[in-house]
């Protein structure tokens, strides 16, 4: 059956649901008889209560699935972007090389850089903390906590992309097999 005819039929059934007195229109007597032959209960003619129905002009224009609306309607809704963090598209932060061998000396130096970063964070010097943590990551690229700590500083700096890169790196390092 043609999709446009089905859409028209659906529209007609919807109109009948909203105003059942339509079925009492003389031009639809064949349809009323058919419904009654199936055992349908037809409500009495309430045309005077709901107003008359003009069969020539339907209340709604049918919408067909294949029709495209070329006009784009702008919404009147204004979004409240308070607290929305814009993406950071700056240069990528330096990441460590996981294939680097981490000696005890490098691990100790990385821990010293991490402590400097924590001091900088407590003083509100977030960019300085990033520098210390980046150096710590360069010295010990197998420490997931260093990436996670730097990610938390990126959160405070409202740099979501950098935060995601560091959390991904922390998860990747965490999943590496221990040597």
């Amino acid at each position: 059956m043609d999709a446009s005819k089905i859409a028209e039929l659906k529209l007609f059934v919807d109109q009948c649901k909203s105003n059942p007195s339509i079925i009492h229109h003389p031009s639809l007597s064949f349809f009323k008889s058919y419904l009654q032959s199936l055992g349908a209960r037809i409500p009495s003619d309430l045309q005077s209560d709901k107003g008359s129905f003009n069969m020539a002009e339907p209340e709604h224009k049918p919408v067909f699935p294949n029709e495209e609306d070329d006009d784009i309607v702008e919404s009147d809704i204004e979004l409240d972007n308070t607290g929305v963090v814009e993406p950071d598209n700056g240069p990528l932060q330096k990441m460590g090389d996981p294939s680097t061998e981490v000696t005890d000396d490098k691990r100790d130096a990385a821990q010293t850089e991490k402590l400097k970063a924590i001091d900088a964070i407590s003083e509100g010097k977030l960019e300085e903390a990033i520098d210390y943590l980046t150096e710590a990551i360069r010295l010990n690229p197998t420490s997931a906590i260093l990436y996670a700590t730097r990610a938390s500083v990126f959160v405070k700096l409202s740099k979501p992309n950098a935060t995601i890169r560091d959390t991904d790196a922390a998860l990747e390092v965490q999943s590496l097999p221990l040597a």
Side-chain angles (χ1 to χ4, degrees), residues 76-139:
D76 292 338
I77 298 173
E78 290 187 26
L79 299 176
D80 179 12
N81 289 330
T82 306
V84 174
V85 178
E86 294 297 321
D88 55 311
N89 296 320
L92 300 179
Q93 68 267 36
K94 294 179 182 174
M95 299 291 199
D97 180 7
S99 65
T100 302
E101 183 181 339
V102 180
T103 63
D104 287 340
D105 290 340
K106 285 185 176 183
R107 191 172 283 114
D108 291 342
Q111 186 63 24
T112 302
E113 295 296 314
K114 179 184 170 192
L115 292 174
K116 289 178 187 177
I118 291 172
D119 288 341
I121 292 168
S122 66
E123 295 171 9
K125 300 176 183 175
L126 301 180
E127 291 294 340
E128 189 177 315
I130 293 291
D131 293 338
Y132 288 128
L133 288 165
T134 300
E135 180 60 20
I137 289 169
R138 189 189 64 73
L139 292 166

